């Protein structure tokens, strides 16, 4: 994650001008134990399958990634001067740790890996515009029997 102090002063000033959005605190929910929970991933790396439409700058929509996806079929259309993609090029698990989840499931640390995972574009200046899509993904996660999601921000 790039720090504001690492950016060009004009870019940092631009980022600080983005509106702040207040999000109301939700009701606390006591989760199932991890060893009984199905886990999904939600990344903001702008990942999608090769045949899916790429993300566009400022897009707030999402892409669905199957749990059994071949990493060779995943690309990222997230473009930002503020994001070093070298780790992603070396190991996709940095931004979509499906292989690590599978290892945890095999070891009995988690109950299982979700059938579907979700990818958004990072760097959205108006996060409130994401709300309808976040609610839609929440419904899909619930329908898939997901108990918890790991958010992987970029």
């Amino acid at each position: 994650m790039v720090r504001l102090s690492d950016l060009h002063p004009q870019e940092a000033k631009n980022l600080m001008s983005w509106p702040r959005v207040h999000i109301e605190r939700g009701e606390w929910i006591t989760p199932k134990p991890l060893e009984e929970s199905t886990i999904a991933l939600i990344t903001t790396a702008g990942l999608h399958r090769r045949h899916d439409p790429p993300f566009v700058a400022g897009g707030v929509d999402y892409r669905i990634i199957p749990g059994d996806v071949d990493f060779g079929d995943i690309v990222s259309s997230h473009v930002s001067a503020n994001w070093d993609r070298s780790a992603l090029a070396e190991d996709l698990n940095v931004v979509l740790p499906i292989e690590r989840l599978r290892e945890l499931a095999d070891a009995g640390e988690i109950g299982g890996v979700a059938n579907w995972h979700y990818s958004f574009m990072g760097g959205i200046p108006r996060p409130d515009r994401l709300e309808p899509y976040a609610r839609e993904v929440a419904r899909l996660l619930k329908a898939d029997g997901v108990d918890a999601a790991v958010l992987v921000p970029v």
Side-chain angles (χ1 to χ4, degrees):
M1 175 75 60
V2 175
R3 296 177 188 276
L4 285 173
S5 59
D6 296 333
L7 299 176
H8 184 280
Q10 187 59 39
E11 181 66 18
K13 182 180 176 184
N14 177 46
L15 289 174
M16 290 304 295
S17 71
W18 291 358
R20 306 299 189 282
V21 177
H22 177 75
I23 299 173
E24 292 295 328
R25 186 177 290 212
E27 179 183 336
W28 180 257
I29 299 170
T30 302
K32 290 172 33 176
L34 281 175
E35 60 271 11
E36 298 173 17
S37 297
T38 299
I39 311 296
L41 298 169
I42 301 173
T43 181
T44 61
L47 302 179
H48 55 88
R49 292 174 289 177
R50 290 187 189 280
H51 68 275
D52 291 337
F55 285 95
V56 298
V60 294
D61 54 341
Y62 63 91
R63 305 291 180 272
I64 300 173
I65 299 174
D68 60 355
V69 70
D70 177 347
F71 274 6
D73 189 35
I74 295 289
V75 295
S76 174
S77 55
H78 185 340
V79 179
S80 171
N82 301 322
W83 181 35
D84 178 0
R85 296 165 47 115
S86 57
L88 165 63
E90 214 169 293
D91 183 4
L92 189 63
N93 283 289
V94 170
V95 293
L96 190 73
I98 289 179
E99 292 176 336
R100 302 298 78 86
L101 280 184
R102 290 177 188 147
E103 292 167 0
L104 290 170
D106 290 345
E109 297 288 327
I110 63 173
V113 179
N115 295 321
W116 306 101
H117 306 277
Y118 300 87
S119 178
F120 288 86
M121 175 84 97
I124 304 299
R126 293 282 315 273
D128 56 316
R129 292 181 49 222
L130 288 166
E131 185 172 356
Y133 297 99
R135 289 186 182 281
E136 188 173 314
V137 167
R139 283 190 297 276
L140 292 168
L141 290 166
K142 186 175 181 178
D144 196 27
V146 171
D147 301 298
V150 176
L151 303 177
V152 188
V154 173

PDB file of all heavy atoms in Angstrom, residues 24-30:
ATOM      1  N   GLU A  24     -22.461   3.910   8.680  1.00  0.00           N
ATOM      2  CA  GLU A  24     -23.041   3.565   9.974  1.00  0.00           C
ATOM      3  C   GLU A  24     -22.545   2.191  10.425  1.00  0.00           C
ATOM      4  O   GLU A  24     -22.391   1.282   9.609  1.00  0.00           O
ATOM      5  CB  GLU A  24     -24.571   3.540   9.886  1.00  0.00           C
ATOM      6  CG  GLU A  24     -25.201   4.887   9.659  1.00  0.00           C
ATOM      7  CD  GLU A  24     -24.993   5.843  10.818  1.00  0.00           C
ATOM      8  OE1 GLU A  24     -24.933   5.391  11.983  1.00  0.00           O
ATOM      9  OE2 GLU A  24     -24.869   7.052  10.546  1.00  0.00           O
ATOM     10  N   ARG A  25     -22.310   2.077  11.698  1.00  0.00           N
ATOM     11  CA  ARG A  25     -21.891   0.801  12.265  1.00  0.00           C
ATOM     12  C   ARG A  25     -23.054  -0.180  12.222  1.00  0.00           C
ATOM     13  O   ARG A  25     -24.178   0.165  12.569  1.00  0.00           O
ATOM     14  CB  ARG A  25     -21.432   1.002  13.703  1.00  0.00           C
ATOM     15  CG  ARG A  25     -20.852  -0.241  14.328  1.00  0.00           C
ATOM     16  CD  ARG A  25     -20.358   0.058  15.704  1.00  0.00           C
ATOM     17  NE  ARG A  25     -19.184   0.902  15.571  1.00  0.00           N
ATOM     18  CZ  ARG A  25     -18.163   0.886  16.412  1.00  0.00           C
ATOM     19  NH1 ARG A  25     -18.195   0.090  17.447  1.00  0.00           N
ATOM     20  NH2 ARG A  25     -17.141   1.668  16.234  1.00  0.00           N
ATOM     21  N   GLY A  26     -22.783  -1.384  11.779  1.00  0.00           N
ATOM     22  CA  GLY A  26     -23.817  -2.410  11.693  1.00  0.00           C
ATOM     23  C   GLY A  26     -23.940  -3.201  12.984  1.00  0.00           C
ATOM     24  O   GLY A  26     -23.176  -3.020  13.933  1.00  0.00           O
ATOM     25  N   GLU A  27     -24.896  -4.070  12.990  1.00  0.00           N
ATOM     26  CA  GLU A  27     -25.140  -4.938  14.138  1.00  0.00           C
ATOM     27  C   GLU A  27     -24.017  -5.983  14.233  1.00  0.00           C
ATOM     28  O   GLU A  27     -23.590  -6.534  13.222  1.00  0.00           O
ATOM     29  CB  GLU A  27     -26.486  -5.641  13.940  1.00  0.00           C
ATOM     30  CG  GLU A  27     -26.863  -6.591  15.047  1.00  0.00           C
ATOM     31  CD  GLU A  27     -28.183  -7.295  14.736  1.00  0.00           C
ATOM     32  OE1 GLU A  27     -28.985  -6.755  13.971  1.00  0.00           O
ATOM     33  OE2 GLU A  27     -28.384  -8.392  15.285  1.00  0.00           O
ATOM     34  N   TRP A  28     -23.530  -6.247  15.444  1.00  0.00           N
ATOM     35  CA  TRP A  28     -22.487  -7.245  15.638  1.00  0.00           C
ATOM     36  C   TRP A  28     -23.090  -8.636  15.486  1.00  0.00           C
ATOM     37  O   TRP A  28     -24.142  -8.928  16.025  1.00  0.00           O
ATOM     38  CB  TRP A  28     -21.840  -7.124  17.011  1.00  0.00           C
ATOM     39  CG  TRP A  28     -20.763  -8.145  17.200  1.00  0.00           C
ATOM     40  CD1 TRP A  28     -20.840  -9.293  17.911  1.00  0.00           C
ATOM     41  CD2 TRP A  28     -19.448  -8.127  16.627  1.00  0.00           C
ATOM     42  NE1 TRP A  28     -19.670  -9.999  17.833  1.00  0.00           N
ATOM     43  CE2 TRP A  28     -18.793  -9.302  17.040  1.00  0.00           C
ATOM     44  CE3 TRP A  28     -18.762  -7.234  15.803  1.00  0.00           C
ATOM     45  CZ2 TRP A  28     -17.481  -9.603  16.670  1.00  0.00           C
ATOM     46  CZ3 TRP A  28     -17.463  -7.531  15.435  1.00  0.00           C
ATOM     47  CH2 TRP A  28     -16.844  -8.717  15.876  1.00  0.00           C
ATOM     48  N   ILE A  29     -22.417  -9.476  14.736  1.00  0.00           N
ATOM     49  CA  ILE A  29     -22.868 -10.848  14.521  1.00  0.00           C
ATOM     50  C   ILE A  29     -21.772 -11.781  15.001  1.00  0.00           C
ATOM     51  O   ILE A  29     -20.613 -11.638  14.612  1.00  0.00           O
ATOM     52  CB  ILE A  29     -23.147 -11.101  13.022  1.00  0.00           C
ATOM     53  CG1 ILE A  29     -24.255 -10.164  12.539  1.00  0.00           C
ATOM     54  CG2 ILE A  29     -23.513 -12.547  12.779  1.00  0.00           C
ATOM     55  CD1 ILE A  29     -24.439 -10.167  11.049  1.00  0.00           C
ATOM     56  N   THR A  30     -22.118 -12.728  15.838  1.00  0.00           N
ATOM     57  CA  THR A  30     -21.144 -13.716  16.295  1.00  0.00           C
ATOM     58  C   THR A  30     -21.010 -14.799  15.229  1.00  0.00           C
ATOM     59  O   THR A  30     -21.984 -15.478  14.905  1.00  0.00           O
ATOM     60  CB  THR A  30     -21.580 -14.337  17.633  1.00  0.00           C
ATOM     61  OG1 THR A  30     -21.729 -13.275  18.593  1.00  0.00           O
ATOM     62  CG2 THR A  30     -20.551 -15.330  18.137  1.00  0.00           C
TER      63      THR A  30
END
